[in-house]
Amino acid sequence: MLGQKARRAVILSLVLIFFELFFGRVLELGMIRPDLFLIYIVFWSFVIDRRSAPLVALLLGFVRDVFSSGFFGAETFSYFAAACLISMLSLKVERTNILIQGATSFIFALFQFWIYALIVLLCSPSPEFPRNFFWLSFLHSLYTAFLAVWMIGALERCIYFRSSRAHLLA
Amino acid sequence: MRPKALVLFLVLAVLPLVISKVAVGFPETVRVFSYQTFKPVFQASDFFSDQCTGLFAQTKSFLFTYRQNKELQARLNELEIEVARLKEENKKIQRLGKFLPYLEQKSRSSLYAQIIFRSISFWEQTAVIDKGARHGVGKGMPVITPEGLVGKVGSAGNSSANVIFLTDASSRTSVLVQESRDIGLLCGEGKKLLRMSYIDLSATLKIGDTIVTSGMGGVYPKGIPVGKVEMVGKDPDGLHLYAQVKPFVAFSKLEEVLCWVKKPEGR
């Protein structure tokens, strides 16, 4: 049997996947769209369980691969690689500080974006990138980080039903 | 994370890449199947997203229209004020255009003046103009408009002067009938109509005749139009005729006048 916390985490993951896949367009600003999966992985790594974050990233990456038209497998691998980085980072930083959460989300998003591009470049027979790729990746990461600052706290309340972060310090 | 688990995860992460390289058609099959399975949800989400985006765009458009409407309303108010001002200017130019022939006369110099105050007394038919002794206005000067005689300057201050209208009870003017050349004395009665008295019993004036100044008395030059005969009758004493004269000037609508100053000889 799953514990109450794990059950909530699973439900939250399903809701997030559903929202990201089907209603993600609502959050679009021009061509820029935040990556809710990335935010969720940072949240998972910082708040729930650092060690299982790569597994969550693997699953979410696979879901994204299935529902996208890019090079199959690139999302899975890039999420996984970035999650490994986050998992290591979360040991060394102050996880309760929202600025650090935002900065980590920014680095995570940028890293995942570039790894994805690198994989596509190496594996795809005809890789195509937008002309302003670096600028777009920067804006995408920035938007994701801004949203993460607000979202991680909200997700935490959903899991623990309280605003206190005492559990992290315990 | 234990090394065994890490290796397993790494294999799992690389596996889709390997599959897409080895079995090229397999990823597409998986994707098509997924899309077909979730097609109704995708359609619903597309509809919802379109509605949300449309609502956002409409709200943005509404806010823009609201702001633009406010700006245009303010601009409209400004323009309405401007139009009213220009209309007023236009009417003023039209009125002043009628003064031009008088201003160009050689024997007399005309001084343009605006009426700045009108007597509120029931007994007086006078007004104050914005020109006075400083501008050359003096007591007794004729005051006219393009329509006809208004009256004369009763008193002049430094920068304003008091004008006595023909309709004032104290006004007396020597006039003649333009057609029959009959002479009379035009008196104000504090009413709209003027009374022309002391007309000879043998006079042949009739209703509709034009009354002009006679030039006698030294105040008004000869020939200034004054009004038209409205009624002719016999005085109660039976020695003279009298006539009711309707002045050409609409005293209640006067805004600008000309003070008619005689030029010194030799100029």
Side-chain angles (χ1 to χ4, degrees):
Chain A
M1 286 290 282
L2 287 170
Q4 196 182 26
K5 182 179 140 187
R7 213 181 309 140
R8 282 185 196 153
V10 169
I11 292 168
L12 201 63
S13 306
L14 292 174
V15 169
L16 199 82
I17 289 168
F18 185 79
F19 188 83
E20 170 69 10
L21 290 180
F22 302 114
F23 299 102
R25 266 178 61 196
V26 175
L27 295 172
E28 264 181 20
L29 279 182
M31 282 180 69
I32 311 301
R33 180 174 167 172
D35 194 336
L36 299 186
F37 285 176
L38 286 177
I39 297 170
Y40 191 68
I41 293 164
V42 174
F43 161 73
W44 191 283
S45 179
F46 276 20
V47 178
I48 296 180
D49 180 21
R50 177 185 69 80
R51 283 167 298 182
S52 57
L55 179 64
V56 174
L58 209 63
L59 290 170
L60 293 178
F62 186 72
V63 169
R64 192 176 272 277
D65 257 334
V66 169
F67 286 99
S68 69
S69 54
F71 188 75
F72 191 79
E75 295 275 13
T76 311
F77 188 82
S78 61
Y79 269 90
F80 174 73
C84 288
L85 175 79
I86 287 291
S87 185
M88 284 188 286
L89 262 179
S90 61
L91 267 178
K92 311 201 171 179
V93 295
E94 174 57 62
R95 289 177 288 159
T96 50
N97 188 327
I98 55 165
L99 286 177
I100 288 177
Q101 287 174 353
T104 312
S105 303
F106 178 77
I107 294 166
F108 183 33
L110 210 61
F111 188 65
Q112 187 271 335
F113 212 82
W114 288 357
I115 287 179
Y116 176 82
L118 190 68
I119 294 166
V120 171
L121 199 67
L122 292 173
C123 303
S124 177
S126 54
E128 280 182 17
F129 294 106
R131 195 176 294 171
N132 47 356
F133 169 78
F134 287 104
W135 179 236
L136 276 179
S137 68
F138 177 78
L139 288 179
H140 159 83
S141 309
L142 203 65
Y143 188 14
T144 305
F146 270 117
L147 210 62
V149 168
W150 173 81
M151 252 187 83
I152 289 175
L155 290 170
E156 198 180 332
R157 282 187 203 101
C158 288
I159 294 284
Y160 292 100
F161 279 124
R162 63 170 190 261
S163 59
S164 160
R165 296 182 174 195
H167 58 280
L168 289 174
L169 305 170
Chain B
M1 196 183 293
R2 283 180 293 181
K4 270 187 184 177
L6 187 64
V7 170
L8 179 68
F9 286 168
L10 198 60
V11 168
L12 285 173
V14 175
L15 193 63
L17 284 172
V18 176
I19 290 171
S20 63
K21 271 286 179 190
V22 177
V24 181
F26 181 72
E28 279 313 303
T29 313
V30 174
R31 279 173 176 166
V32 168
F33 176 74
S34 310
Y35 280 117
Q36 287 298 327
T37 311
F38 290 97
K39 194 178 174 184
V41 187
F42 273 115
Q43 282 173 339
S45 75
D46 275 352
F47 175 76
F48 179 78
S49 297
D50 285 345
Q51 290 298 314
C52 283
T53 316
L55 191 70
F56 179 73
Q58 278 175 2
T59 310
K60 202 174 159 187
S61 169
F62 172 76
L63 288 173
F64 174 74
T65 311
Y66 176 74
R67 200 165 47 240
Q68 196 182 37
N69 186 43
K70 279 185 92 174
E71 283 172 9
L72 289 174
Q73 194 67 51
R75 181 83 186 120
L76 182 68
N77 290 342
E78 278 175 21
L79 288 175
E80 274 178 353
I81 292 168
E82 183 67 12
V83 165
R85 192 186 67 77
L86 288 173
K87 271 184 181 172
E88 193 59 28
E89 285 289 314
N90 188 33
K91 281 191 174 176
K92 191 177 176 181
I93 287 166
Q94 281 177 358
R95 283 200 309 270
L96 293 181
K98 294 176 185 172
F99 284 77
L100 274 177
Y102 293 89
L103 290 166
E104 285 163 359
Q105 280 201 3
K106 288 182 181 171
S107 60
R108 287 177 179 269
S109 67
S110 304
L111 194 69
Y112 167 78
Q114 277 191 314
I115 289 181
I116 52 173
F117 177 75
R118 198 181 287 270
S119 174
I120 52 169
S121 166
F122 178 74
W123 307 104
E124 290 175 345
Q125 299 289 316
T126 59
V128 178
I129 57 172
D130 63 346
K131 298 287 188 301
R134 191 154 55 95
H135 307 95
V137 176
K139 188 179 177 183
M141 280 183 180
V143 178
I144 61 165
T145 66
E147 285 78 31
L149 187 67
V150 172
K152 63 182 178 184
V153 174
S155 61
N158 193 32
S159 56
S160 65
N162 191 38
V163 175
I164 300 170
F165 292 159
L166 287 178
T167 49
D168 188 81
S170 67
S171 172
R172 300 283 183 273
T173 312
S174 178
V175 292
L176 58 87
V177 182
Q178 198 171 41
E179 288 80 7
S180 63
R181 313 309 287 177
D182 294 309
I183 295 171
L185 186 68
L186 194 72
C187 307
E189 292 184 313
K191 297 186 288 189
K192 284 185 179 176
L193 294 179
L194 306 165
R195 184 184 178 95
M196 185 177 169
S197 308
Y198 306 113
I199 307 168
D200 198 273
L201 282 173
S202 61
T204 56
L205 81 165
K206 56 187 184 298
I207 293 169
D209 282 353
T210 303
I211 306 296
V212 297
T213 51
S214 66
M216 289 185 276
V219 177
Y220 302 110
K222 193 175 181 178
I224 303 173
V226 174
K228 275 194 180 296
V229 175
E230 286 268 301
M231 191 205 89
V232 181
K234 198 181 260 187
D235 255 345
D237 59 11
L239 300 172
H240 299 96
L241 295 177
Y242 78 95
Q244 293 283 356
V245 177
K246 187 185 180 187
F248 289 128
V249 176
F251 291 96
S252 59
K253 293 177 184 172
L254 269 184
E255 289 178 73
E256 294 101 5
V257 293
L258 285 176
C259 287
W260 221 356
V261 187
K262 192 171 184 179
K263 284 182 182 171
E265 294 291 327
R267 283 184 71 184

